Amino acid sequence: MRLRRALMKILVPIKRVVDPYAKVRSLPDGSGMDTTGLKFEINPFDEIAVEEAVRLKEKDPSIEIVAVSIGGAECEEQLRKGLAMGADRAILVETNDPLDSTVVAAELAALANELKPDMILMGKQATDDDNNQAGQMLAAKLNWPQATFAAKVERGDGIVRVTRETDTGDETLELPLPCLVTTDLRLNEPRYIALPGIIKARSKPLEKRPRMTSAAPKTRIVRMEAPAARQAGRKVGSVDELYVALKDRGAL
Amino acid sequence: MSKLLWIAFEASDAPAAAGFAQAVGLGFDLLQISGQPVTDIGADKVLSANLSEMPTSDGLAKAIAGVAGGYSHVGAVSSMRSKDVLARVAGLMDAAMVTDVVAAESPTRFKRPMVAGSILATVEVLSMPAVLTVRPAGFAKGDRGGSSSVESISLDATSVAKRLGASARGGARPDLTQARVIVSGGRPLKDAQTFESVIGGLADALGGAVGATRAAVDSGIAANELQVGQTGKIVAPDLYIAAGISGSTQHMAGIKDSKIIVAINKDPDAPIFEFADYGLVADLYQAIPELRAKIGK
Ligand SMILES: Cc1cc2nc3c(=O)[nH]c(=O)nc-3n(C[C@H](O)[C@H](O)[C@H](O)COP(=O)(O)OP(=O)(O)OC[C@H]3O[C@@H](n4cnc5c(N)ncnc54)[C@H](O)[C@@H]3O)c2cc1C
Ligand SMILES: Nc1ncnc2c1ncn2[C@@H]1O[C@H](COP(=O)(O)O)[C@@H](O)[C@H]1O
């Protein structure tokens, strides 16, 4: 019989993204996003990933949660929030290099090979790029099984059982550890962090280190523009009028 | 060699290959994982795996990557499944990836929405191969005709992840991503039963599909696979009727390609009226039964 491992390590990648509720526009010259005056947050799906890791830890205090972000010094803010939510320590892979999902996956793979986590819990997509790529690419690089779009995560002996959302409903997968899970909206509702938590998190370890790979991006955004606006429509005064209008357009 | 390998998990994913390949100016082969081989969309050849059960992503991605070597482009219709599997294929092939392509400027330049559709980005692929998930609504429908040769292939898709069970809801209604008419409901629908009778009832009267907002899904009023939007399904019906939906950026990101949007909302200032072709300021509990009576079903 296999002995249950006493210590489990969960790696949670966190991306700093522009406020997901803000109205974001492209810069007039098409060179990027206009973020003037906008807040930055943990990517909401990553916040769900931290919350899930913390809930697993609440059931098994021997779990260690390591939050990691790749990006500029400003990402420390989101890592501190992850620590305040309950992560044990954080790593900032500090760089101002252009990143795409292939670079993120390469860096996270190098880190995973060093830290040897049992599970990587991360967001299904970043709400700024809406790519939905990094997790699957990382799982491929590590040759680990994956469960994307998780709506429920349960731990068993050497395995996790994940209920995941699909195009037609949901399905339950059983994955041996180590494995990678990406979170969907309904996995949990992240806790509210009160001020004392944030203050306490200031004393948790946050290590800054340089990139571990020389992976170069394989894609580059060359232009950002406003999407074609929909033609403004009109108000109709009654169901009758709506019905006639739709009939006239051949929509009914 | 510049050539596209189009992955069709099911037969219904195949036809979109034609319009996309035409737009990019590439010839293509079709790798069909399941279903009757689709031979009339202009593929040079159809590789038919004819699997009876869809493998989980680790095995399937490995099998696809095994076939995809030598192609410059690997594409599929955007869906949760293609995102799950193809991003892993990209990882295995060390390939570039562009998700949710809505237009092609060249074989290496694609347009895609980001930040919940607030921005349209032009993405340049810097190294080949490129893995792409494609939203068919952005492309003309390709011609059908001719007859491609079919090659049976056996895929070794042995997976580490085990599927313990799956729900297949859906029922008799058309698939959201293919539907010509969609009726969607939001937060004010009280409970699952009300949602089903009010929203589902109108959808059935119109032969359409049912959609929902995140708010409706989160509160258990609607099933998760009905969520439309940035993080749900992207739809492009001829007619989209939104009832009790405020029009958040995240929801609108999923419906912008609809031909006609109708909004029924009791708040005259609801943001959805800025996007709707026809806006009706009304209580949905009165307006929808009235509309059904008019339709006569
Ligand atoms: C990361 C992230 C991802 C998200 N992804 C999605 C997504 O994919 N899809 C999505 O939909 N949302 C998504 N959301 C949520 C989104 O921001 C909104 O919260 C959600 O779309 C609101 O849903 P709603 O319109 O049903 O509810 P509300 O915003 O509460 O609107 C309800 C509307 O109903 C009207 N109303 C009330 N009663 C009646 C009545 N009797 N008759 C007529 N009208 C009535 C009200 O006037 C109001 O306008 C996401 C959010 C985040 C942060
Ligand atoms: N710069 C980054 N640092 C840490 N994690 C990241 C970074 N970029 C992406 N991720 C992770 O990858 C997930 C998917 O991102 P994406 O593929 O960009 O949609 C996110 O939810 C994060 O968990």
Side-chain angles (χ1 to χ4, degrees):
Chain A
M1 236 186 67
R2 218 146 40 97
L3 285 176
R4 192 192 175 115
R5 275 209 275 167
L7 199 89
M8 187 188 187
K9 192 187 284 179
I10 304 179
L11 188 64
V12 186
I14 288 178
K15 186 178 186 189
R16 174 185 166 91
V17 297
V18 67
D19 177 1
Y21 287 104
K23 277 247 181 295
V24 181
R25 291 192 173 77
S26 48
L27 290 165
D29 67 357
S31 64
M33 248 190 282
D34 184 358
T35 55
T36 345
L38 299 180
K39 284 185 303 175
F40 283 81
E41 307 278 358
I42 295 191
N43 174 36
F45 293 99
D46 300 343
E47 197 177 356
I48 292 171
V50 176
E51 176 66 33
E52 195 63 19
V54 172
R55 290 186 189 188
L56 289 168
K57 186 182 167 89
E58 281 165 353
K59 285 193 203 127
D60 175 359
S62 78
I63 289 176
E64 185 192 21
I65 304 170
V66 186
V68 54
S69 193
I70 306 164
E74 62 280 3
C75 300
E76 182 170 341
E77 191 187 336
Q78 281 65 43
L79 286 172
R80 288 285 172 209
K81 173 138 191 230
L83 292 171
M85 289 177 70
D88 297 289
R89 62 188 177 99
I91 298 173
L92 173 58
V93 178
E94 201 172 348
T95 175
N96 290 311
D97 293 347
L99 305 172
D100 72 354
S101 307
T102 66
V103 176
V104 169
E107 288 296 327
L108 292 175
L111 197 63
N113 284 327
E114 180 191 312
L115 299 178
K116 307 213 175 338
D118 303 274
M119 175 157 57
I120 299 178
L121 250 170
M122 62 200 277
K124 73 165 177 178
Q125 90 191 48
T127 53
D128 52 359
D129 59 40
D130 282 337
N131 271 334
N132 202 322
Q133 299 170 350
Q136 299 87 309
M137 287 179 176
L138 173 58
K141 298 225 167 300
L142 295 169
N143 195 23
W144 290 4
Q146 73 192 38
T148 51
F149 311 121
K152 191 173 172 193
V153 176
E154 289 169 300
R155 238 185 111 192
D157 193 3
I159 56 119
V160 285
R161 223 167 278 124
V162 179
T163 302
R164 59 185 295 273
E165 299 192 4
T166 68
D167 294 296
T168 51
D170 49 49
E171 66 178 10
T172 305
L173 302 184
E174 185 174 289
L175 315 174
L177 300 176
C179 68
L180 184 140
V181 175
T182 75
T183 60
D184 214 321
L185 290 170
R186 277 160 291 272
L187 180 56
N188 60 51
E189 220 166 291
R191 66 197 59 199
Y192 174 76
I193 305 300
L195 194 59
I198 295 175
I199 291 169
K200 199 174 136 215
R202 285 196 195 137
S203 59
K204 287 187 176 173
L206 189 151
E207 175 200 346
K208 294 185 187 179
R209 49 151 91 191
R211 283 184 56 176
M212 295 171 83
T213 80
S214 55
K218 295 182 163 64
T219 56
R220 182 166 60 112
I221 297 179
V222 292
R223 191 180 158 73
M224 291 191 196
E225 60 198 312
R230 279 191 73 91
Q231 206 116 58
R234 64 179 172 101
K235 289 242 172 77
V236 288
S238 64
V239 171
D240 264 348
E241 205 186 313
L242 174 63
Y243 178 75
V244 171
L246 292 178
K247 265 281 189 224
D248 284 352
R249 292 268 305 256
L252 287 181
Chain B
M1 180 188 60
S2 260
K3 191 168 195 178
L4 167 70
L5 179 68
W6 188 261
I7 314 298
F9 295 96
E10 289 153 5
S12 59
D13 297 339
F20 177 70
Q22 241 160 45
V24 196
L26 291 173
F28 72 99
D29 292 340
L30 185 64
L31 171 57
Q32 204 177 317
I33 309 297
S34 75
Q36 272 295 321
V38 177
T39 57
D40 64 348
I41 56 167
D44 292 332
K45 65 178 174 197
V46 180
L47 303 165
S48 166
N50 203 16
L51 299 183
S52 53
E53 197 188 336
M54 198 57 66
T56 57
S57 47
D58 61 294
L60 192 51
K62 188 179 53 186
I64 292 172
V67 178
Y71 290 89
S72 57
H73 296 73
V74 180
V77 172
S78 274
S79 65
M80 292 170 82
R81 171 173 284 146
S82 72
K83 284 172 186 169
D84 181 39
V85 177
L86 259 65
R88 189 173 175 108
V89 170
L92 292 173
M93 296 177 73
D94 216 11
M97 180 161 188
V98 188
T99 305
D100 289 327
V101 172
V102 294
E105 285 188 350
S106 79
T108 54
R109 271 200 184 209
F110 303 96
K111 293 199 175 195
R112 64 178 298 269
M114 54 184 281
V115 216
S118 305
I119 289 178
L120 186 66
T122 305
V123 180
E124 183 175 19
V125 174
L126 303 170
S127 76
M128 302 310 267
V131 173
L132 312 163
T133 64
V134 177
R135 293 191 189 168
F139 296 90
K141 286 202 168 61
D143 305 326
R144 294 191 82 144
S147 180
S148 318
S149 63
V150 179
E151 206 176 288
S152 288
I153 56 166
S154 78
L155 289 184
D156 175 13
T158 327
S159 294
V160 176
K162 266 195 303 202
R163 184 180 290 117
L164 302 180
S167 80
R169 289 188 284 260
R173 291 190 183 125
D175 182 58
L176 259 177
T177 55
Q178 321 250 341
R180 307 184 57 114
V181 177
I182 296 173
V183 183
S184 275
R187 195 192 308 270
L189 277 304
K190 282 191 252 344
D191 48 39
Q193 211 184 336
T194 313
F195 184 90
E196 174 54 30
S197 72
V198 176
I199 302 299
L202 180 59
D204 290 344
L206 295 168
V210 170
T213 62
R214 175 187 174 187
V217 176
D218 281 2
S219 49
I221 298 169
N224 62 262
E225 68 272 18
L226 302 184
Q227 182 179 315
V228 172
Q230 179 193 16
T231 54
K233 294 210 162 109
I234 309 297
V235 301
D238 294 338
L239 175 62
Y240 189 88
I241 302 180
I245 292 177
S246 60
S248 67
T249 315
Q250 291 86 5
H251 189 75
M252 299 316 293
I255 70 170
K256 278 189 181 144
D257 292 330
S258 308
K259 279 216 189 77
I260 301 176
I261 297 177
V262 171
I264 302 172
N265 194 305
K266 68 179 184 187
D267 173 7
D269 296 324
I272 191 150
F273 288 127
E274 291 163 32
F275 306 93
D277 299 272
Y278 302 104
L280 178 64
V281 180
D283 186 327
L284 71 91
Y285 291 109
Q286 276 156 18
I288 289 186
E290 233 184 280
L291 186 57
R292 271 184 75 177
K294 285 256 160 226
I295 295 163
K297 282 182 203 167

